[in-house]
Amino acid sequence: MPLLEVRHLTIRFSHGGADRSGPAAVDDVSFSIDDGETLAVVGESGSGKSVTALALTRLLPEPPTRYERGEILLSGRDLLKLPERDLRAVRGGQIAYVFQDPATSLNPVFTVRAQMAETLALHRPDVGRSRRRVDAEIVRELAEVGITEPEKRLRAYPHQLSGGMAQRVGIAMALACRPKLLVADEPTTALDPTVQRQIMDLLRELKARHGMSILLITHNFGIIGGLVDRVAVMFRGRLVEEGPSEEVLRAPRHPYTRALIDCIPRIGAHRHRLATIDHAALAG
């Protein structure tokens, strides 16, 4: 049995209090993730990637979100049928998120310690309530994601951290819950190229260390090498191609996948002109 299985998921949004029969934001999407596997969902902004990721634990407000059909099975349990009380244990405890902009995903008015202590209190009863034990666990988690002098970072506010360090704190908060699945939603978008590679290398190391599964949401084929087992490509709310990462990168079958790969800059190419995507032709 897969760790996560999404079957025929279809999501629409209402506007102004009324449902409209426009295109679905997510249209009949199906995929699965096994234990210890990494799946990348790749596509442009607006293709439905983040909506799909947030739908896994029903983080999208209802209304305006309407789950028209489908199932989201985590270890066989349909999360679309769980009551809100049971979903709270899933969010963070079994499926944790790392979002694309650490400057907004961290609360600016609370210290690193306060935010991580709240996470531990909700999902790690084994740590207990002792301030000394909580601080020791936070320091350990921060050190694991490569933050130097973690004891000093306990008292820091998000604005006192660099973008890369803030993203590492976000990863530490997610992993502190010991999730089965880590959803990394564009985790490198707000970072410079050098830090992007560091974050991707960190995710690869943590996956190997903890044996967790990863769902990576990205628009960039250029960052998935060496981390991803399989790739699913989304276009206009639908999955148009799925397969092993090396196979998809080497011999893409769908024109949209080929167009995305053609958009990757080629270092050292002589007068390489970046490709553009003809959406009208692809939709036709």
Side-chain angles (χ1 to χ4, degrees):
M1 177 188 297
L3 171 63
L4 177 75
E5 188 172 8
V6 176
R7 298 177 180 172
H8 307 292
L9 182 64
T10 300
I11 298 173
R12 295 183 188 272
F13 294 105
S14 60
H15 301 277
D19 289 333
R20 299 180 180 179
S21 57
V26 174
D27 189 359
D28 196 30
V29 165
S30 298
F31 63 88
S32 64
I33 304 176
D34 290 332
D35 284 315
E37 185 180 39
T38 298
L39 172 70
V41 177
V42 184
E44 296 170 284
S45 297
S47 62
K49 310 183 305 298
S50 292
V51 172
T52 301
L54 293 172
L56 297 181
T57 55
R58 286 170 36 202
L59 288 175
L60 299 164
E62 305 172 51
T65 308
R66 179 160 60 91
Y67 295 90
E68 194 168 88
R69 63 187 291 249
E71 297 175 302
I72 300 172
L73 304 175
L74 180 67
S75 300
R77 286 197 307 170
D78 189 354
L79 301 186
L80 292 180
K81 295 179 180 178
L82 283 187
E84 181 66 23
R85 179 187 58 200
D86 294 336
L87 269 175
R88 293 195 194 103
V90 174
R91 296 169 182 152
Q94 297 182 57
I95 300 178
Y97 289 82
V98 177
F99 295 103
Q100 61 179 293
D101 187 357
T104 57
S105 60
L106 297 176
N107 193 318
V109 301
F110 290 104
T111 63
V112 169
R113 186 210 179 273
Q115 296 184 63
M116 291 197 65
E118 181 181 18
T119 297
L120 293 174
L122 288 172
H123 298 290
R124 291 282 305 280
D126 58 296
V127 175
R129 300 284 179 166
S130 162
R131 186 177 185 90
R132 179 177 296 178
R133 286 192 61 188
V134 169
D135 285 358
E137 181 63 21
I138 294 173
V139 166
R140 196 186 70 79
E141 297 290 345
L142 293 178
E144 185 178 33
V145 298
I147 292 180
T148 58
E149 300 182 302
E151 297 85 357
K152 294 183 179 179
R153 308 304 173 190
L154 292 179
R155 297 182 295 276
Y157 288 88
H159 73 272
Q160 296 173 311
L161 307 175
S162 67
M165 190 176 294
Q167 191 63 292
R168 288 172 186 267
V169 171
I171 294 171
M173 288 178 63
L175 294 185
C177 304
R178 302 294 184 265
K180 297 178 180 178
L181 174 66
L182 179 69
V183 180
D185 188 357
E186 300 276 13
T188 63
T189 295
L191 308 174
D192 65 61
T194 300
V195 180
Q196 285 183 12
R197 176 48 56 189
Q198 292 173 357
I199 294 299
M200 296 307 293
D201 288 344
L202 174 62
L203 290 176
R204 184 183 303 108
E205 294 168 9
L206 293 171
K207 174 193 172 184
R209 191 178 305 158
H210 293 285
M212 63 185 175
S213 302
I214 297 178
L215 174 60
L216 175 65
I217 306 295
T218 183
H219 64 274
N220 185 0
F221 265 107
I223 69 168
I224 67 174
L227 173 68
V228 172
D229 300 303
R230 290 188 297 117
V231 174
V233 181
M234 287 197 76
F235 177 57
R236 295 194 170 190
R238 299 183 67 91
L239 279 185
V240 296
E241 182 167 356
E242 183 179 356
S245 58
E246 291 185 5
E247 181 180 307
V248 172
L249 287 168
R250 184 180 65 253
R253 299 186 304 273
H254 195 277
Y256 180 67
T257 308
R258 289 197 295 270
L260 285 175
I261 293 174
D262 287 342
C263 291
I264 301 174
R266 291 170 175 78
I267 298 175
H270 180 64
R271 296 175 64 85
H272 172 63
R273 185 179 182 85
L274 290 179
T276 58
I277 297 177
D278 188 343
H279 289 83
L282 291 171

